[in-house]
Short mmCIF file of all heavy atoms in Angstrom, two decimals:
data_model
loop_
_atom_site.label_atom_id
_atom_site.label_comp_id
_atom_site.label_asym_id
_atom_site.label_seq_id
_atom_site.Cartn_x
_atom_site.Cartn_y
_atom_site.Cartn_z
N VAL B 17 -98.99 112.40 -31.62
CA VAL B 17 -98.63 111.25 -30.80
C VAL B 17 -98.24 111.74 -29.41
O VAL B 17 -97.55 112.76 -29.27
CB VAL B 17 -97.45 110.49 -31.44
CG1 VAL B 17 -97.03 109.31 -30.56
CG2 VAL B 17 -97.81 110.01 -32.83
N ILE B 18 -98.66 111.03 -28.38
CA ILE B 18 -98.21 111.35 -27.03
C ILE B 18 -96.71 111.12 -26.97
O ILE B 18 -96.23 110.03 -27.32
CB ILE B 18 -98.94 110.48 -26.00
CG1 ILE B 18 -100.43 110.83 -25.97
CG2 ILE B 18 -98.33 110.65 -24.60
CD1 ILE B 18 -101.23 109.96 -25.04
N PRO B 19 -95.92 112.09 -26.54
CA PRO B 19 -94.46 111.93 -26.53
C PRO B 19 -94.03 110.78 -25.62
O PRO B 19 -94.54 110.62 -24.51
CB PRO B 19 -93.97 113.28 -25.99
CG PRO B 19 -95.08 114.24 -26.24
CD PRO B 19 -96.34 113.44 -26.11
N ALA B 20 -93.07 110.01 -26.11
CA ALA B 20 -92.54 108.92 -25.29
C ALA B 20 -91.94 109.45 -24.00
O ALA B 20 -92.05 108.81 -22.94
CB ALA B 20 -91.49 108.14 -26.08
N GLY B 21 -91.33 110.64 -24.07
CA GLY B 21 -90.72 111.21 -22.87
C GLY B 21 -91.71 111.47 -21.76
O GLY B 21 -91.39 111.30 -20.57
N LEU B 22 -92.93 111.87 -22.12
CA LEU B 22 -93.96 112.10 -21.11
C LEU B 22 -94.33 110.81 -20.40
O LEU B 22 -94.43 110.75 -19.17
CB LEU B 22 -95.20 112.72 -21.77
CG LEU B 22 -96.43 112.88 -20.87
CD1 LEU B 22 -96.13 113.77 -19.67
CD2 LEU B 22 -97.60 113.44 -21.67
N VAL B 23 -94.52 109.75 -21.18
CA VAL B 23 -94.85 108.45 -20.60
C VAL B 23 -93.72 107.96 -19.70
O VAL B 23 -93.93 107.49 -18.58
CB VAL B 23 -95.14 107.42 -21.71
CG1 VAL B 23 -95.36 106.02 -21.11
CG2 VAL B 23 -96.36 107.84 -22.53
N LEU B 24 -92.49 108.10 -20.18
CA LEU B 24 -91.33 107.65 -19.40
C LEU B 24 -91.23 108.40 -18.08
O LEU B 24 -90.98 107.81 -17.03
CB LEU B 24 -90.05 107.84 -20.22
CG LEU B 24 -89.88 106.88 -21.41
CD1 LEU B 24 -88.77 107.38 -22.33
CD2 LEU B 24 -89.56 105.47 -20.93
N ASP B 25 -91.42 109.71 -18.12
CA ASP B 25 -91.32 110.51 -16.90
C ASP B 25 -92.40 110.13 -15.89
O ASP B 25 -92.13 110.01 -14.69
CB ASP B 25 -91.42 112.00 -17.24
CG ASP B 25 -90.17 112.52 -17.92
OD1 ASP B 25 -89.13 111.84 -17.88
OD2 ASP B 25 -90.24 113.62 -18.52
N LEU B 26 -93.63 109.96 -16.36
CA LEU B 26 -94.71 109.59 -15.46
C LEU B 26 -94.46 108.23 -14.82
O LEU B 26 -94.62 108.06 -13.61
CB LEU B 26 -96.04 109.57 -16.22
CG LEU B 26 -96.67 110.91 -16.58
CD1 LEU B 26 -97.96 110.70 -17.34
CD2 LEU B 26 -96.94 111.73 -15.33
N VAL B 27 -94.09 107.28 -15.64
CA VAL B 27 -93.90 105.92 -15.13
C VAL B 27 -92.70 105.85 -14.19
O VAL B 27 -92.73 105.11 -13.19
CB VAL B 27 -93.75 104.93 -16.30
CG1 VAL B 27 -93.33 103.55 -15.80
CG2 VAL B 27 -95.07 104.83 -17.06
N LEU B 30 -94.10 106.83 -10.94
CA LEU B 30 -95.13 105.93 -10.43
C LEU B 30 -94.59 104.55 -10.05
O LEU B 30 -95.26 103.79 -9.35
CB LEU B 30 -96.24 105.78 -11.46
CG LEU B 30 -97.07 107.04 -11.74
CD1 LEU B 30 -97.97 106.84 -12.95
CD2 LEU B 30 -97.90 107.42 -10.52
N TYR B 42 -95.31 100.18 -18.80
CA TYR B 42 -95.77 101.58 -18.74
C TYR B 42 -97.18 101.68 -18.15
O TYR B 42 -97.93 102.61 -18.44
CB TYR B 42 -95.69 102.21 -20.13
CG TYR B 42 -94.25 102.19 -20.63
CD1 TYR B 42 -93.88 101.36 -21.68
CD2 TYR B 42 -93.27 102.95 -20.00
CE1 TYR B 42 -92.56 101.30 -22.11
CE2 TYR B 42 -91.95 102.89 -20.42
CZ TYR B 42 -91.61 102.06 -21.46
OH TYR B 42 -90.28 102.00 -21.87
N LEU B 43 -97.52 100.71 -17.32
CA LEU B 43 -98.76 100.75 -16.54
C LEU B 43 -100.01 100.92 -17.39
O LEU B 43 -101.02 101.48 -16.95
CB LEU B 43 -98.68 101.86 -15.48
CG LEU B 43 -97.56 101.71 -14.45
CD1 LEU B 43 -97.51 102.94 -13.54
CD2 LEU B 43 -97.76 100.45 -13.62
N GLY B 44 -99.95 100.44 -18.62
CA GLY B 44 -101.13 100.49 -19.48
C GLY B 44 -101.53 101.87 -19.93
O GLY B 44 -102.70 102.10 -20.27
N LEU B 45 -100.57 102.80 -19.99
CA LEU B 45 -100.90 104.17 -20.38
C LEU B 45 -101.10 104.34 -21.88
O LEU B 45 -101.69 105.35 -22.31
CB LEU B 45 -99.78 105.11 -19.92
CG LEU B 45 -99.55 105.26 -18.43
CD1 LEU B 45 -98.39 106.22 -18.16
CD2 LEU B 45 -100.80 105.74 -17.73
N GLU B 46 -100.62 103.40 -22.68
CA GLU B 46 -100.55 103.64 -24.12
C GLU B 46 -101.90 103.71 -24.83
O GLU B 46 -102.11 104.63 -25.65
CB GLU B 46 -99.68 102.55 -24.77
CG GLU B 46 -98.26 102.47 -24.24
CD GLU B 46 -98.11 101.40 -23.14
OE1 GLU B 46 -99.12 101.14 -22.43
OE2 GLU B 46 -97.02 100.83 -23.02
N PRO B 47 -102.85 102.79 -24.61
CA PRO B 47 -104.10 102.82 -25.39
C PRO B 47 -104.99 104.01 -25.02
O PRO B 47 -105.00 104.46 -23.87
CB PRO B 47 -104.79 101.50 -25.02
CG PRO B 47 -103.72 100.65 -24.44
CD PRO B 47 -102.77 101.59 -23.77
N ALA B 48 -105.75 104.49 -25.99
CA ALA B 48 -106.61 105.65 -25.76
C ALA B 48 -107.94 105.30 -25.13
O ALA B 48 -108.54 106.13 -24.44
CB ALA B 48 -106.85 106.38 -27.09
N SER B 49 -108.44 104.07 -25.34
CA SER B 49 -109.83 103.77 -24.98
C SER B 49 -110.05 103.57 -23.49
O SER B 49 -111.17 103.76 -23.01
CB SER B 49 -110.29 102.52 -25.72
OG SER B 49 -109.65 101.37 -25.18
N GLY B 50 -109.03 103.11 -22.77
CA GLY B 50 -109.21 102.83 -21.35
C GLY B 50 -109.76 101.44 -21.06
O GLY B 50 -110.02 101.10 -19.91
N LEU B 78 -98.70 102.93 -29.86
CA LEU B 78 -97.43 102.99 -29.12
C LEU B 78 -96.93 101.62 -28.68
O LEU B 78 -95.90 101.52 -28.03
CB LEU B 78 -97.57 103.91 -27.90
CG LEU B 78 -97.80 105.39 -28.20
CD1 LEU B 78 -97.96 106.17 -26.90
CD2 LEU B 78 -96.65 105.97 -29.02
N LEU B 109 -90.10 103.51 -26.47
CA LEU B 109 -90.63 102.88 -25.27
C LEU B 109 -90.20 101.42 -25.18
O LEU B 109 -89.88 100.92 -24.09
CB LEU B 109 -92.16 102.98 -25.25
CG LEU B 109 -92.74 104.39 -25.11
CD1 LEU B 109 -94.26 104.35 -25.24
CD2 LEU B 109 -92.34 105.02 -23.77
N ARG B 220 -104.06 100.17 -9.92
CA ARG B 220 -102.82 100.88 -10.22
C ARG B 220 -102.81 101.43 -11.65
O ARG B 220 -102.32 102.53 -11.90
CB ARG B 220 -101.64 99.93 -10.01
CG ARG B 220 -100.30 100.62 -9.93
CD ARG B 220 -99.22 99.64 -9.61
NE ARG B 220 -97.92 100.28 -9.57
CZ ARG B 220 -96.78 99.64 -9.64
NH1 ARG B 220 -96.77 98.32 -9.72
NH2 ARG B 220 -95.63 100.29 -9.61
N VAL B 221 -103.34 100.66 -12.57
CA VAL B 221 -103.42 101.11 -13.96
C VAL B 221 -104.41 102.26 -14.09
O VAL B 221 -104.15 103.26 -14.76
CB VAL B 221 -103.80 99.95 -14.88
CG1 VAL B 221 -104.05 100.43 -16.31
CG2 VAL B 221 -102.71 98.88 -14.88
N VAL B 222 -105.57 102.14 -13.43
CA VAL B 222 -106.56 103.21 -13.46
C VAL B 222 -105.98 104.50 -12.91
O VAL B 222 -106.15 105.59 -13.49
CB VAL B 222 -107.82 102.80 -12.66
CG1 VAL B 222 -108.79 103.98 -12.55
CG2 VAL B 222 -108.50 101.62 -13.32
N ALA B 223 -105.27 104.42 -11.79
CA ALA B 223 -104.67 105.61 -11.19
C ALA B 223 -103.63 106.23 -12.11
O ALA B 223 -103.57 107.46 -12.26
CB ALA B 223 -104.03 105.24 -9.85
N ALA B 224 -102.82 105.40 -12.75
CA ALA B 224 -101.80 105.92 -13.67
C ALA B 224 -102.44 106.62 -14.86
O ALA B 224 -101.97 107.68 -15.30
CB ALA B 224 -100.90 104.78 -14.14
N ARG B 225 -103.51 106.06 -15.38
CA ARG B 225 -104.20 106.68 -16.52
C ARG B 225 -104.80 108.03 -16.11
O ARG B 225 -104.81 108.97 -16.92
CB ARG B 225 -105.28 105.74 -17.05
CG ARG B 225 -104.71 104.55 -17.80
CD ARG B 225 -105.79 103.57 -18.22
NE ARG B 225 -105.24 102.51 -19.07
CZ ARG B 225 -105.94 101.47 -19.51
NH1 ARG B 225 -107.22 101.35 -19.18
NH2 ARG B 225 -105.38 100.55 -20.27
N ASN B 226 -105.27 108.14 -14.90
CA ASN B 226 -105.81 109.42 -14.43
C ASN B 226 -104.72 110.47 -14.32
O ASN B 226 -104.94 111.65 -14.63
CB ASN B 226 -106.51 109.24 -13.09
CG ASN B 226 -107.83 108.51 -13.21
OD1 ASN B 226 -108.45 108.51 -14.27
ND2 ASN B 226 -108.26 107.87 -12.13
N VAL B 227 -103.54 110.07 -13.89
CA VAL B 227 -102.41 111.00 -13.82
C VAL B 227 -102.04 111.48 -15.22
O VAL B 227 -101.81 112.67 -15.45
CB VAL B 227 -101.20 110.33 -13.13
CG1 VAL B 227 -99.97 111.24 -13.23
CG2 VAL B 227 -101.51 110.04 -11.67
N LEU B 228 -101.98 110.54 -16.16
CA LEU B 228 -101.66 110.92 -17.54
C LEU B 228 -102.72 111.86 -18.10
O LEU B 228 -102.39 112.86 -18.75
CB LEU B 228 -101.55 109.68 -18.42
CG LEU B 228 -101.36 109.94 -19.92
CD1 LEU B 228 -100.07 110.71 -20.18
CD2 LEU B 228 -101.37 108.63 -20.71
N LEU B 229 -103.98 111.57 -17.85
CA LEU B 229 -105.06 112.41 -18.37
C LEU B 229 -104.93 113.84 -17.85
O LEU B 229 -105.13 114.81 -18.60
CB LEU B 229 -106.41 111.81 -17.99
CG LEU B 229 -107.64 112.43 -18.64
CD1 LEU B 229 -107.58 112.32 -20.15
CD2 LEU B 229 -108.90 111.75 -18.10
N ALA B 230 -104.60 114.00 -16.58
CA ALA B 230 -104.42 115.33 -16.01
C ALA B 230 -103.27 116.06 -16.71
O ALA B 230 -103.36 117.27 -16.97
CB ALA B 230 -104.16 115.23 -14.52
N LYS B 231 -102.19 115.35 -17.00
CA LYS B 231 -101.06 115.95 -17.70
C LYS B 231 -101.46 116.39 -19.11
O LYS B 231 -101.07 117.47 -19.58
CB LYS B 231 -99.90 114.95 -17.78
CG LYS B 231 -99.21 114.67 -16.46
CD LYS B 231 -98.30 115.82 -16.07
CE LYS B 231 -97.48 115.47 -14.83
NZ LYS B 231 -96.62 116.61 -14.41
N LEU B 232 -102.23 115.56 -19.79
CA LEU B 232 -102.66 115.90 -21.14
C LEU B 232 -103.57 117.12 -21.14
O LEU B 232 -103.46 117.99 -22.01
CB LEU B 232 -103.38 114.71 -21.77
CG LEU B 232 -102.55 113.43 -21.98
CD1 LEU B 232 -103.43 112.31 -22.49
CD2 LEU B 232 -101.39 113.69 -22.93
N ARG B 233 -104.47 117.19 -20.17
CA ARG B 233 -105.38 118.34 -20.08
C ARG B 233 -104.61 119.64 -19.85
O ARG B 233 -105.01 120.70 -20.32
CB ARG B 233 -106.35 118.15 -18.93
CG ARG B 233 -107.44 117.13 -19.13
CD ARG B 233 -108.52 117.35 -18.08
NE ARG B 233 -109.35 116.17 -17.85
CZ ARG B 233 -109.24 115.37 -16.81
NH1 ARG B 233 -108.32 115.59 -15.87
NH2 ARG B 233 -110.04 114.33 -16.67
N SER B 234 -103.53 119.57 -19.09
CA SER B 234 -102.82 120.78 -18.68
C SER B 234 -101.90 121.34 -19.75
O SER B 234 -101.40 122.46 -19.61
CB SER B 234 -101.99 120.48 -17.42
OG SER B 234 -100.93 119.58 -17.70
N ASP B 235 -101.67 120.59 -20.82
CA ASP B 235 -100.75 121.03 -21.88
C ASP B 235 -101.56 121.28 -23.15
O ASP B 235 -102.09 120.33 -23.75
CB ASP B 235 -99.69 119.97 -22.12
CG ASP B 235 -98.59 120.43 -23.06
OD1 ASP B 235 -98.84 121.35 -23.88
OD2 ASP B 235 -97.48 119.87 -23.00
N LEU B 238 -101.15 119.00 -26.08
CA LEU B 238 -101.55 117.61 -25.96
C LEU B 238 -103.03 117.45 -25.59
O LEU B 238 -103.51 116.34 -25.41
CB LEU B 238 -100.69 116.91 -24.89
CG LEU B 238 -99.19 116.92 -25.13
CD1 LEU B 238 -98.46 116.33 -23.94
CD2 LEU B 238 -98.84 116.15 -26.40
N ALA B 239 -103.73 118.58 -25.50
CA ALA B 239 -105.12 118.54 -25.04
C ALA B 239 -106.01 117.68 -25.92
O ALA B 239 -106.99 117.09 -25.45
CB ALA B 239 -105.68 119.96 -24.96
N HIS B 241 -105.43 114.82 -27.09
CA HIS B 241 -105.39 113.45 -26.59
C HIS B 241 -106.32 113.28 -25.40
O HIS B 241 -106.98 112.24 -25.26
CB HIS B 241 -103.96 113.08 -26.19
CG HIS B 241 -102.99 113.07 -27.33
ND1 HIS B 241 -103.04 112.14 -28.34
CD2 HIS B 241 -101.95 113.89 -27.62
CE1 HIS B 241 -102.07 112.38 -29.21
NE2 HIS B 241 -101.40 113.43 -28.79
N ALA B 242 -106.37 114.29 -24.55
CA ALA B 242 -107.30 114.23 -23.41
C ALA B 242 -108.74 114.22 -23.90
O ALA B 242 -109.58 113.46 -23.39
CB ALA B 242 -107.06 115.42 -22.49
N VAL B 243 -109.05 115.04 -24.89
CA VAL B 243 -110.41 115.09 -25.45
C VAL B 243 -110.79 113.72 -26.02
O VAL B 243 -111.91 113.23 -25.79
CB VAL B 243 -110.49 116.18 -26.54
CG1 VAL B 243 -111.82 116.08 -27.29
CG2 VAL B 243 -110.33 117.56 -25.92
N GLU B 244 -109.88 113.09 -26.76
CA GLU B 244 -110.16 111.78 -27.34
C GLU B 244 -110.42 110.74 -26.24
O GLU B 244 -111.40 109.99 -26.29
CB GLU B 244 -108.99 111.34 -28.20
CG GLU B 244 -109.13 109.93 -28.78
CD GLU B 244 -107.87 109.45 -29.48
OE1 GLU B 244 -106.75 109.77 -29.01
OE2 GLU B 244 -108.00 108.74 -30.48
N ARG B 245 -109.55 110.70 -25.24
CA ARG B 245 -109.68 109.70 -24.17
C ARG B 245 -110.97 109.92 -23.37
O ARG B 245 -111.65 108.96 -23.01
CB ARG B 245 -108.44 109.73 -23.28
CG ARG B 245 -107.21 109.16 -23.99
CD ARG B 245 -105.94 109.25 -23.16
NE ARG B 245 -104.84 108.63 -23.90
CZ ARG B 245 -104.05 107.66 -23.43
NH1 ARG B 245 -104.23 107.22 -22.19
NH2 ARG B 245 -103.09 107.15 -24.17
N GLU B 246 -111.28 111.15 -23.08
CA GLU B 246 -112.49 111.44 -22.32
C GLU B 246 -113.74 111.11 -23.12
O GLU B 246 -114.73 110.60 -22.56
CB GLU B 246 -112.49 112.90 -21.88
CG GLU B 246 -111.46 113.21 -20.81
CD GLU B 246 -111.34 114.69 -20.50
OE1 GLU B 246 -111.48 115.51 -21.44
OE2 GLU B 246 -111.10 115.02 -19.33
#
Side-chain angles (χ1 to χ4, degrees):
V17 178
I18 294 176
L22 173 60
V23 175
L24 289 166
D25 288 344
L26 285 179
V27 171
L30 293 170
Y42 300 110
L43 299 175
L45 296 179
E46 301 96 331
S49 71
L78 294 178
L109 293 175
R220 195 175 179 198
V221 173
V222 173
R225 287 175 173 175
N226 288 336
V227 172
L228 174 60
L229 190 59
K231 290 284 187 182
L232 297 175
R233 287 196 202 103
S234 68
D235 188 335
L238 301 174
H241 296 292
V243 170
E244 176 188 36
R245 289 176 177 234
E246 289 173 325

